Amino acid sequence: MHISFLIHNAYGIGGTIRTTYNLARTLGEQHDVEIVSVFRHRDVPVFDPGPNVRLSHLVDIRKKSPGYEGDDPEHARPARVFPRSEGRYKQYSRLTDRRIAEHLRRLDCDVVVGTRPGLNVHIAREARRGPVRVGQEHLTLSTHSKALKRTLRGVYPRLDAVTTVTQADAETYRGQMRLPGVRLEAVPNSVPESGLEPADGTGKWVVAAGRLAPVKRYDLLIRAFEKVTAERPDWRLRIYGGGDQRAKLRTLIDRLGLYNHIYLMGPANPLDPEWAKGSIAAVTSSMESFGMTIVEAMRCGLPVVSTDCPHGPAEIIDDGVDGRLVPTGDVDAIATALLGLINDDELRQRMGREALKRSARFDPSQVAGRYESLFADLVGRSTMRGTLHRARGTLLSGVFATKDVGYSMFGRARTA
Protein backbone atom coordinates (compact mmCIF):
# COMPACT_ATOMS: atom_id res chain seq x y z
CA MET A 1 0.00 0.00 0.00
CA HIS A 2 0.99 3.60 -0.59
CA ILE A 3 0.17 5.52 2.61
CA SER A 4 0.44 9.30 2.87
CA PHE A 5 0.33 11.21 6.17
CA LEU A 6 -0.58 14.91 6.23
CA ILE A 7 0.73 16.70 9.33
CA HIS A 8 0.87 20.29 10.57
CA ASN A 9 4.65 20.51 11.04
CA ALA A 10 6.79 17.39 10.88
CA TYR A 11 9.88 19.39 11.81
CA GLY A 12 8.82 20.23 15.36
CA ILE A 13 8.54 18.43 18.70
CA GLY A 14 5.31 17.04 20.11
CA GLY A 15 3.31 13.93 20.80
CA THR A 16 1.47 13.88 17.47
CA ILE A 17 4.70 14.36 15.55
CA ARG A 18 6.49 11.67 17.55
CA THR A 19 3.75 9.06 17.19
CA THR A 20 3.32 9.82 13.47
CA TYR A 21 7.02 9.17 12.91
CA ASN A 22 6.83 5.96 14.98
CA LEU A 23 3.89 4.69 12.94
CA ALA A 24 5.23 5.78 9.55
CA ARG A 25 8.67 4.32 10.21
CA THR A 26 7.21 0.92 11.10
CA LEU A 27 4.70 0.86 8.24
CA GLY A 28 7.55 1.87 5.94
CA GLU A 29 9.19 -1.48 6.50
CA GLN A 30 6.45 -3.12 4.42
CA HIS A 31 4.72 -0.30 2.54
CA ASP A 32 5.36 2.83 0.49
CA VAL A 33 5.00 5.60 3.11
CA GLU A 34 5.39 9.38 3.02
CA ILE A 35 4.93 12.20 5.53
CA VAL A 36 3.81 15.51 4.03
CA SER A 37 4.28 18.48 6.35
CA VAL A 38 2.23 21.62 5.73
CA PHE A 39 5.00 23.75 7.21
CA ARG A 40 8.77 23.51 7.39
CA HIS A 41 10.46 25.81 9.90
CA ARG A 42 13.87 24.13 10.29
CA ASP A 43 16.32 22.36 8.01
CA VAL A 44 16.43 18.99 9.77
CA PRO A 45 13.53 17.28 11.56
CA VAL A 46 13.95 16.49 15.25
CA PHE A 47 12.75 12.91 14.77
CA ASP A 48 14.15 10.42 12.29
CA PRO A 49 11.59 9.08 9.81
CA GLY A 50 13.88 6.18 8.91
CA PRO A 51 15.33 5.22 5.54
CA ASN A 52 12.06 4.11 3.95
CA VAL A 53 9.84 7.13 4.63
CA ARG A 54 9.82 10.15 2.33
CA LEU A 55 9.46 13.55 3.98
CA SER A 56 8.29 16.65 2.13
CA HIS A 57 6.66 20.01 2.87
CA LEU A 58 4.14 22.36 1.27
CA VAL A 59 5.07 25.79 2.68
CA ASP A 60 8.61 26.86 3.58
CA ILE A 61 8.75 29.26 6.54
CA ARG A 62 12.52 29.05 7.12
CA LYS A 63 13.52 32.70 7.05
CA LYS A 64 17.06 31.98 5.85
CA SER A 65 15.92 29.58 3.16
CA PRO A 66 15.97 30.68 -0.50
CA GLY A 67 12.49 29.18 -0.74
CA TYR A 68 11.08 31.21 2.19
CA GLU A 69 7.37 31.93 1.67
CA GLY A 70 6.41 33.65 4.91
CA ASP A 71 6.16 37.00 3.11
CA ASP A 72 3.93 35.69 0.32
CA PRO A 73 0.87 38.03 0.15
CA GLU A 74 -1.42 34.99 0.14
CA HIS A 75 0.03 33.94 3.48
CA ALA A 76 -1.25 37.17 5.02
CA ARG A 77 -4.82 36.42 4.00
CA PRO A 78 -6.94 34.25 6.34
CA ALA A 79 -7.68 30.65 5.44
CA ARG A 80 -11.11 29.73 4.09
CA VAL A 81 -10.97 25.92 4.20
CA PHE A 82 -9.03 25.31 7.41
CA PRO A 83 -11.72 25.81 10.10
CA ARG A 84 -11.62 29.08 12.02
CA SER A 85 -12.56 27.20 15.21
CA GLU A 86 -9.43 25.00 15.05
CA GLY A 87 -6.63 25.88 17.46
CA ARG A 88 -4.01 26.35 14.73
CA TYR A 89 -6.20 28.56 12.53
CA LYS A 90 -4.02 31.68 12.80
CA GLN A 91 -1.09 29.82 11.26
CA TYR A 92 -3.08 28.89 8.16
CA SER A 93 -3.84 31.12 5.18
CA ARG A 94 -5.02 31.30 1.59
CA LEU A 95 -1.55 30.04 0.69
CA THR A 96 -1.91 26.90 2.81
CA ASP A 97 -5.47 26.44 1.51
CA ARG A 98 -4.16 26.42 -2.04
CA ARG A 99 -1.10 24.26 -1.40
CA ILE A 100 -3.04 21.63 0.55
CA ALA A 101 -5.78 21.52 -2.11
CA GLU A 102 -3.22 21.12 -4.91
CA HIS A 103 -1.46 18.37 -2.97
CA LEU A 104 -4.68 16.44 -2.30
CA ARG A 105 -5.91 16.76 -5.88
CA ARG A 106 -2.75 15.22 -7.30
CA LEU A 107 -2.12 12.72 -4.51
CA ASP A 108 -1.92 9.21 -5.94
CA CYS A 109 -2.02 6.83 -2.98
CA ASP A 110 -4.12 4.08 -1.40
CA VAL A 111 -4.63 5.79 1.97
CA VAL A 112 -4.35 9.44 3.04
CA VAL A 113 -4.22 10.10 6.79
CA GLY A 114 -4.89 13.46 8.44
CA THR A 115 -3.41 14.08 11.87
CA ARG A 116 -5.48 16.97 13.25
CA PRO A 117 -9.07 18.20 12.79
CA GLY A 118 -8.27 21.07 10.44
CA LEU A 119 -6.31 18.82 8.10
CA ASN A 120 -9.00 16.15 8.30
CA VAL A 121 -11.44 18.81 7.07
CA HIS A 122 -9.19 19.49 4.09
CA ILE A 123 -8.99 15.77 3.31
CA ALA A 124 -12.75 15.30 3.63
CA ARG A 125 -13.47 18.21 1.31
CA GLU A 126 -10.64 18.10 -1.19
CA ALA A 127 -9.01 14.67 -1.52
CA ARG A 128 -9.66 13.26 -4.96
CA ARG A 129 -11.79 10.16 -5.46
CA GLY A 130 -9.89 6.95 -4.96
CA PRO A 131 -7.70 7.09 -1.84
CA VAL A 132 -9.19 5.90 1.44
CA ARG A 133 -9.60 8.94 3.70
CA VAL A 134 -8.68 8.53 7.39
CA GLY A 135 -8.87 11.26 10.03
CA GLN A 136 -6.91 10.78 13.24
CA GLU A 137 -8.00 12.38 16.53
CA HIS A 138 -4.91 12.96 18.68
CA LEU A 139 -6.73 15.11 21.24
CA THR A 140 -10.29 14.35 22.37
CA LEU A 141 -13.67 15.35 21.05
CA SER A 142 -14.57 16.92 24.40
CA THR A 143 -11.71 19.43 24.10
CA HIS A 144 -13.08 20.87 20.85
CA SER A 145 -15.34 23.91 20.80
CA LYS A 146 -19.00 23.65 19.84
CA ALA A 147 -18.18 25.45 16.60
CA LEU A 148 -15.48 22.95 15.67
CA LYS A 149 -17.73 20.02 16.56
CA ARG A 150 -20.40 21.42 14.21
CA THR A 151 -17.84 21.68 11.43
CA LEU A 152 -16.59 18.14 11.99
CA ARG A 153 -20.13 16.79 12.15
CA GLY A 154 -20.76 18.33 8.75
CA VAL A 155 -17.67 17.05 6.91
CA TYR A 156 -16.48 13.92 8.72
CA PRO A 157 -19.18 11.75 7.07
CA ARG A 158 -17.10 12.14 3.89
CA LEU A 159 -14.22 10.27 5.56
CA ASP A 160 -13.89 6.50 5.44
CA ALA A 161 -12.61 6.19 9.00
CA VAL A 162 -11.86 8.18 12.14
CA THR A 163 -9.38 6.87 14.70
CA THR A 164 -9.09 7.93 18.33
CA VAL A 165 -6.26 7.11 20.74
CA THR A 166 -8.53 5.79 23.51
CA GLN A 167 -11.67 3.68 23.74
CA ALA A 168 -13.21 6.36 25.96
CA ASP A 169 -12.91 8.97 23.22
CA ALA A 170 -14.25 6.54 20.63
CA GLU A 171 -17.34 6.13 22.80
CA THR A 172 -17.66 9.91 23.03
CA TYR A 173 -17.54 10.12 19.23
CA ARG A 174 -20.22 7.45 18.92
CA GLY A 175 -22.43 9.25 21.39
CA GLN A 176 -22.04 12.81 20.14
CA MET A 177 -21.29 12.60 16.41
CA ARG A 178 -23.49 11.24 13.65
CA LEU A 179 -21.10 9.56 11.24
CA PRO A 180 -23.09 7.08 9.15
CA GLY A 181 -20.86 4.74 7.18
CA VAL A 182 -17.66 5.98 8.81
CA ARG A 183 -15.49 3.36 10.50
CA LEU A 184 -14.63 4.44 14.05
CA GLU A 185 -11.65 2.72 15.68
CA ALA A 186 -9.63 3.28 18.85
CA VAL A 187 -5.93 2.71 18.16
CA PRO A 188 -3.40 3.86 20.79
CA ASN A 189 -0.26 5.82 20.12
CA SER A 190 2.93 3.82 19.83
CA VAL A 191 6.18 4.09 21.77
CA PRO A 192 9.26 2.14 20.72
CA GLU A 193 11.50 0.16 23.03
CA SER A 194 14.07 2.51 24.56
CA GLY A 195 17.12 0.39 23.78
CA LEU A 196 18.56 1.29 27.19
CA GLU A 197 18.92 -0.77 30.31
CA PRO A 198 15.61 -0.32 32.14
CA ALA A 199 15.55 1.46 35.49
CA ASP A 200 16.32 -0.85 38.39
CA GLY A 201 14.22 1.05 40.91
CA THR A 202 17.11 1.92 43.21
CA GLY A 203 17.58 5.59 42.32
CA LYS A 204 15.84 8.03 44.66
CA TRP A 205 14.31 10.09 41.88
CA VAL A 206 10.73 10.77 40.83
CA VAL A 207 10.54 11.95 37.21
CA ALA A 208 7.83 13.92 35.38
CA ALA A 209 7.86 15.23 31.82
CA GLY A 210 5.63 17.31 29.58
CA ARG A 211 4.72 20.86 28.66
CA LEU A 212 4.75 23.26 31.58
CA ALA A 213 1.12 24.11 30.92
CA PRO A 214 -1.87 24.54 33.27
CA VAL A 215 -3.49 21.27 32.17
CA LYS A 216 -0.48 19.30 33.43
CA ARG A 217 -1.06 20.59 36.99
CA TYR A 218 2.56 20.48 38.08
CA ASP A 219 1.53 22.76 40.92
CA LEU A 220 -0.26 19.75 42.43
CA LEU A 221 2.81 17.58 42.00
CA ILE A 222 5.01 20.18 43.70
CA ARG A 223 2.62 20.49 46.64
CA ALA A 224 2.37 16.70 46.90
CA PHE A 225 6.14 16.42 46.87
CA GLU A 226 6.31 18.82 49.79
CA LYS A 227 4.49 16.11 51.77
CA VAL A 228 6.84 13.46 50.37
CA THR A 229 9.98 15.30 51.44
CA ALA A 230 8.58 15.81 54.95
CA GLU A 231 8.73 12.02 55.36
CA ARG A 232 11.49 11.10 52.89
CA PRO A 233 13.89 14.03 52.46
CA ASP A 234 16.35 11.75 50.68
CA TRP A 235 14.15 11.66 47.53
CA ARG A 236 14.17 14.24 44.72
CA LEU A 237 11.89 15.25 41.84
CA ARG A 238 12.93 16.20 38.31
CA ILE A 239 10.43 17.85 35.95
CA TYR A 240 11.37 17.96 32.26
CA GLY A 241 9.74 20.29 29.74
CA GLY A 242 9.32 23.89 28.74
CA GLY A 243 6.36 26.19 28.74
CA ASP A 244 4.74 29.38 29.99
CA GLN A 245 4.17 28.02 33.51
CA ARG A 246 7.86 27.77 34.29
CA ALA A 247 8.14 31.07 36.20
CA LYS A 248 5.05 30.31 38.31
CA LEU A 249 6.31 26.84 39.15
CA ARG A 250 9.76 28.19 40.01
CA THR A 251 8.15 30.71 42.38
CA LEU A 252 6.07 27.97 44.03
CA ILE A 253 9.12 25.74 44.52
CA ASP A 254 11.08 28.59 46.10
CA ARG A 255 8.16 29.66 48.30
CA LEU A 256 7.80 26.12 49.67
CA GLY A 257 11.54 25.88 50.26
CA LEU A 258 11.89 22.90 47.92
CA TYR A 259 14.69 24.25 45.72
CA ASN A 260 17.00 21.45 46.90
CA HIS A 261 14.40 18.77 46.21
CA ILE A 262 12.58 19.77 43.00
CA TYR A 263 14.40 20.64 39.77
CA LEU A 264 12.93 22.17 36.61
CA MET A 265 15.19 20.55 34.04
CA GLY A 266 13.93 22.16 30.84
CA PRO A 267 13.19 20.23 27.63
CA ALA A 268 15.08 17.01 26.91
CA ASN A 269 15.20 14.96 23.72
CA PRO A 270 15.43 12.05 23.87
CA LEU A 271 13.78 11.49 27.23
CA ASP A 272 14.56 7.79 27.60
CA PRO A 273 17.90 8.34 29.40
CA GLU A 274 16.17 10.65 31.88
CA TRP A 275 13.36 8.18 32.59
CA ALA A 276 15.93 5.44 33.12
CA LYS A 277 17.64 7.49 35.85
CA GLY A 278 14.44 7.51 37.89
CA SER A 279 12.50 4.96 39.89
CA ILE A 280 8.96 6.40 39.75
CA ALA A 281 7.18 8.53 37.15
CA ALA A 282 4.46 11.03 38.06
CA VAL A 283 1.59 12.45 35.99
CA THR A 284 -0.82 14.92 37.65
CA SER A 285 -2.75 16.22 34.63
CA SER A 286 -6.38 17.31 34.76
CA MET A 287 -6.78 15.75 31.29
CA GLU A 288 -4.73 13.55 28.98
CA SER A 289 -5.87 12.69 25.46
CA PHE A 290 -3.69 9.59 25.69
CA GLY A 291 -0.61 9.80 27.91
CA MET A 292 2.54 9.32 25.82
CA THR A 293 4.78 10.09 28.78
CA ILE A 294 3.08 7.36 30.81
CA VAL A 295 3.95 4.75 28.20
CA GLU A 296 7.45 6.18 27.69
CA ALA A 297 8.16 5.87 31.41
CA MET A 298 6.74 2.34 31.56
CA ARG A 299 8.85 1.29 28.58
CA CYS A 300 11.87 2.34 30.64
CA GLY A 301 10.76 0.21 33.60
CA LEU A 302 9.12 2.85 35.80
CA PRO A 303 5.82 2.43 37.62
CA VAL A 304 3.67 5.53 37.11
CA VAL A 305 1.61 7.38 39.68
CA SER A 306 -1.05 9.18 37.64
CA THR A 307 -4.27 11.04 38.18
CA ASP A 308 -7.22 9.08 36.84
CA CYS A 309 -8.12 11.88 34.46
CA PRO A 310 -9.92 11.65 31.13
CA HIS A 311 -9.09 9.88 28.88
CA GLY A 312 -5.90 7.85 28.69
CA PRO A 313 -4.34 6.86 32.03
CA ALA A 314 -6.92 4.24 33.03
CA GLU A 315 -6.50 2.53 29.64
CA ILE A 316 -2.72 2.33 30.14
CA ILE A 317 -2.17 1.74 33.87
CA ASP A 318 -3.49 -1.32 35.70
CA ASP A 319 -3.92 0.20 39.15
CA GLY A 320 -1.90 -1.63 41.77
CA VAL A 321 -0.13 -3.80 39.19
CA ASP A 322 2.11 -1.58 37.05
CA GLY A 323 1.31 1.80 38.61
CA ARG A 324 -1.19 3.75 40.65
CA LEU A 325 -4.26 5.76 39.67
CA VAL A 326 -5.38 8.51 42.04
CA PRO A 327 -8.28 11.00 41.99
CA THR A 328 -7.73 14.06 39.84
CA GLY A 329 -6.72 17.17 41.78
CA ASP A 330 -6.09 15.36 45.08
CA VAL A 331 -2.72 16.44 46.51
CA ASP A 332 -2.94 14.07 49.49
CA ALA A 333 -3.73 11.09 47.26
CA ILE A 334 -0.77 11.88 44.98
CA ALA A 335 1.57 12.14 47.96
CA THR A 336 0.23 8.94 49.53
CA ALA A 337 0.67 6.97 46.29
CA LEU A 338 4.21 8.26 45.81
CA LEU A 339 5.15 7.43 49.40
CA GLY A 340 3.61 3.98 49.06
CA LEU A 341 6.13 3.19 46.31
CA ILE A 342 9.01 5.12 47.87
CA ASN A 343 8.70 3.27 51.18
CA ASP A 344 8.36 -0.21 49.67
CA ASP A 345 11.40 -1.16 47.60
CA GLU A 346 10.07 -4.60 46.65
CA LEU A 347 6.69 -3.21 45.52
CA ARG A 348 8.31 -0.41 43.52
CA GLN A 349 10.67 -2.77 41.72
CA ARG A 350 7.96 -5.37 41.06
CA MET A 351 5.65 -2.73 39.59
CA GLY A 352 8.52 -1.45 37.47
CA ARG A 353 9.05 -4.91 35.99
CA GLU A 354 5.33 -5.23 35.28
CA ALA A 355 5.28 -1.79 33.66
CA LEU A 356 8.13 -2.80 31.37
CA LYS A 357 6.41 -6.06 30.39
CA ARG A 358 2.89 -4.72 29.92
CA SER A 359 3.91 -1.62 27.97
CA ALA A 360 5.14 -3.84 25.12
CA ARG A 361 1.56 -3.73 23.77
CA PHE A 362 2.27 -0.15 22.68
CA ASP A 363 5.28 -1.15 20.59
CA PRO A 364 5.11 0.35 17.07
CA SER A 365 4.97 -3.15 15.58
CA GLN A 366 1.77 -3.86 17.51
CA VAL A 367 0.13 -0.51 16.75
CA ALA A 368 1.22 -0.50 13.11
CA GLY A 369 -0.27 -3.97 12.73
CA ARG A 370 -3.66 -2.66 13.82
CA TYR A 371 -3.45 0.25 11.38
CA GLU A 372 -2.29 -2.06 8.62
CA SER A 373 -5.35 -4.28 9.14
CA LEU A 374 -7.65 -1.24 9.20
CA PHE A 375 -6.13 0.25 6.04
CA ALA A 376 -6.19 -3.07 4.17
CA ASP A 377 -9.85 -3.61 5.04
CA LEU A 378 -10.80 -0.08 3.98
CA VAL A 379 -8.83 -0.33 0.73
CA GLY A 380 -10.45 -3.69 0.01
CA ARG A 381 -13.92 -2.29 0.60
CA SER A 382 -13.12 0.76 -1.51
CA THR A 383 -11.95 -1.46 -4.35
CA MET A 384 -15.11 -3.54 -4.04
CA ARG A 385 -17.28 -0.40 -4.09
CA GLY A 386 -15.46 0.77 -7.19
CA THR A 387 -15.96 -2.61 -8.89
CA LEU A 388 -19.66 -2.63 -8.00
CA HIS A 389 -20.02 0.97 -9.17
CA ARG A 390 -18.46 0.10 -12.52
CA ALA A 391 -20.57 -3.04 -12.79
CA ARG A 392 -23.71 -1.06 -11.95
CA GLY A 393 -22.78 1.44 -14.63
CA THR A 394 -22.47 -1.39 -17.15
CA LEU A 395 -25.81 -2.85 -16.09
CA LEU A 396 -27.51 0.52 -16.32
CA SER A 397 -26.10 0.92 -19.81
CA GLY A 398 -27.81 -2.34 -20.65
CA VAL A 399 -31.06 -1.01 -19.19
CA PHE A 400 -30.92 2.10 -21.32
CA ALA A 401 -29.97 0.09 -24.41
CA THR A 402 -33.04 -2.14 -24.04
CA LYS A 403 -35.60 0.39 -22.84
CA ASP A 404 -37.54 0.25 -26.10
CA VAL A 405 -38.70 -3.29 -25.31
CA GLY A 406 -39.19 -2.56 -21.63
CA TYR A 407 -36.68 -5.10 -20.29
CA SER A 408 -33.43 -4.70 -18.44
CA MET A 409 -30.37 -6.90 -18.18
CA PHE A 410 -31.81 -8.30 -14.97
CA GLY A 411 -34.30 -10.20 -17.14
CA ARG A 412 -37.49 -8.72 -15.65
CA ALA A 413 -39.93 -6.24 -17.13
CA ARG A 414 -39.65 -2.71 -15.72
CA THR A 415 -42.71 -1.27 -14.02
CA ALA A 416 -43.78 2.34 -13.97
Side-chain angles (χ1 to χ4, degrees):
M1 284 184 289
H2 177 186
I3 303 163
S4 181
F5 290 89
L6 182 62
I7 192 168
H8 170 70
N9 190 342
Y11 295 81
I13 298 175
T16 298
I17 303 168
R18 192 159 70 249
T19 195
T20 299
Y21 272 75
N22 290 343
L23 178 58
R25 187 185 182 104
T26 306
L27 288 171
E29 295 172 3
Q30 301 292 331
H31 303 280
D32 180 12
V33 179
E34 65 178 352
I35 297 174
V36 178
S37 178
V38 177
F39 297 105
R40 182 176 184 176
H41 76 294
R42 60 161 54 102
D43 293 338
V44 180
V46 174
F47 303 112
D48 180 12
N52 301 318
V53 177
R54 298 185 305 281
L55 178 63
S56 62
H57 63 277
L58 302 179
V59 177
D60 191 341
I61 54 174
R62 294 172 293 169
K63 289 191 175 182
K64 295 183 179 180
S65 166
Y68 175 66
E69 298 174 286
D71 292 334
D72 188 306
E74 273 195 308
H75 200 41
R77 301 173 66 194
R80 286 180 171 174
V81 179
F82 195 91
R84 184 180 296 273
S85 51
E86 224 264 35
R88 295 283 187 179
Y89 175 75
K90 290 183 179 179
Q91 294 176 254
Y92 285 75
S93 64
R94 298 289 174 81
L95 177 62
T96 60
D97 276 355
R98 178 167 61 81
R99 292 287 170 80
I100 295 171
E102 290 170 352
H103 163 66
L104 292 173
R105 281 197 295 267
R106 67 173 180 264
L107 185 60
D108 184 15
C109 65
D110 297 297
V111 183
V112 56
V113 184
T115 55
R116 65 175 306 115
L119 299 181
N120 298 340
V121 167
H122 270 281
I123 289 171
R125 288 177 171 170
E126 298 173 334
R128 68 177 187 83
R129 291 179 62 89
V132 166
R133 307 173 184 188
V134 178
Q136 292 181 331
E137 175 63 84
H138 284 277
L139 296 174
T140 65
L141 184 61
S142 60
T143 61
H144 300 328
S145 67
K146 290 182 179 179
L148 182 56
K149 288 178 185 177
R150 282 196 299 271
T151 298
L152 302 185
R153 195 174 288 118
V155 300
Y156 270 20
R158 305 181 197 179
L159 298 173
D160 295 287
V162 173
T163 65
T164 64
V165 292
T166 64
Q167 289 288 351
D169 197 38
E171 290 304 315
T172 302
Y173 262 87
R174 291 186 182 100
Q176 297 185 14
M177 301 282 278
R178 295 180 294 278
L179 303 177
V182 179
R183 181 90 164 261
L184 187 57
E185 295 280 344
V187 186
N189 289 331
S190 65
V191 176
E193 190 176 15
S194 73
L196 302 173
E197 275 295 314
D200 61 11
T202 61
K204 296 181 179 181
W205 288 100
V206 175
V207 181
R211 292 176 296 111
L212 304 185
V215 70
K216 299 298 184 180
R217 294 308 307 267
Y218 286 123
D219 58 315
L220 295 177
L221 179 56
I222 290 168
R223 293 182 187 280
F225 210 73
E226 180 186 24
K227 296 177 181 295
V228 170
T229 57
E231 184 175 330
R232 292 297 302 267
D234 52 331
W235 278 70
R236 303 287 189 273
L237 167 65
R238 286 175 173 153
I239 300 175
Y240 291 89
D244 56 13
Q245 292 285 298
R246 183 182 178 87
K248 290 183 178 179
L249 297 175
R250 177 79 269 163
T251 299
L252 178 60
I253 291 168
D254 292 343
R255 181 160 56 82
L256 296 177
L258 297 173
Y259 38 81
N260 288 326
H261 290 89
I262 301 177
Y263 303 91
L264 300 179
M265 305 297 292
N269 183 54
L271 264 170
D272 289 352
E274 311 312 320
W275 291 122
K277 293 172 187 175
S279 289
I280 303 169
V283 175
T284 50
S285 303
S286 58
M287 194 202 72
E288 287 283 350
S289 56
F290 175 66
M292 285 283 285
T293 56
I294 297 174
V295 180
E296 288 173 353
M298 293 173 70
R299 297 229 71 183
C300 291
L302 273 66
V304 183
V305 172
S306 173
T307 46
D308 189 11
C309 62
H311 283 78
E315 295 188 20
I316 301 171
I317 297 169
D318 189 352
D319 187 31
V321 177
D322 50 23
R324 293 298 314 277
L325 293 170
V326 299
T328 304
D330 192 330
V331 170
D332 288 337
I334 296 166
T336 298
L338 288 172
L339 284 168
L341 292 175
I342 287 171
N343 290 329
D344 191 332
D345 295 345
E346 194 279 329
L347 175 64
R348 182 174 69 249
Q349 292 171 12
R350 184 175 74 247
M351 280 194 176
R353 291 191 296 269
E354 284 296 318
L356 183 65
K357 181 174 69 175
R358 290 166 176 260
S359 62
R361 70 188 188 277
F362 298 105
D363 190 82
S365 63
Q366 300 290 320
V367 175
R370 293 178 62 176
Y371 266 110
E372 188 175 40
S373 296
L374 172 64
F375 293 164
D377 187 43
L378 291 170
V379 169
R381 293 185 183 193
S382 178
T383 302
M384 180 63 72
R385 284 198 301 270
T387 301
L388 291 174
H389 179 76
R390 289 190 294 273
R392 184 172 179 270
T394 301
L395 293 171
L396 288 175
S397 296
V399 171
F400 298 141
T402 60
K403 68 178 182 177
D404 289 341
V405 296
Y407 282 83
S408 75
M409 292 181 67
F410 294 101
R412 293 183 63 85
R414 286 180 281 109
T415 57

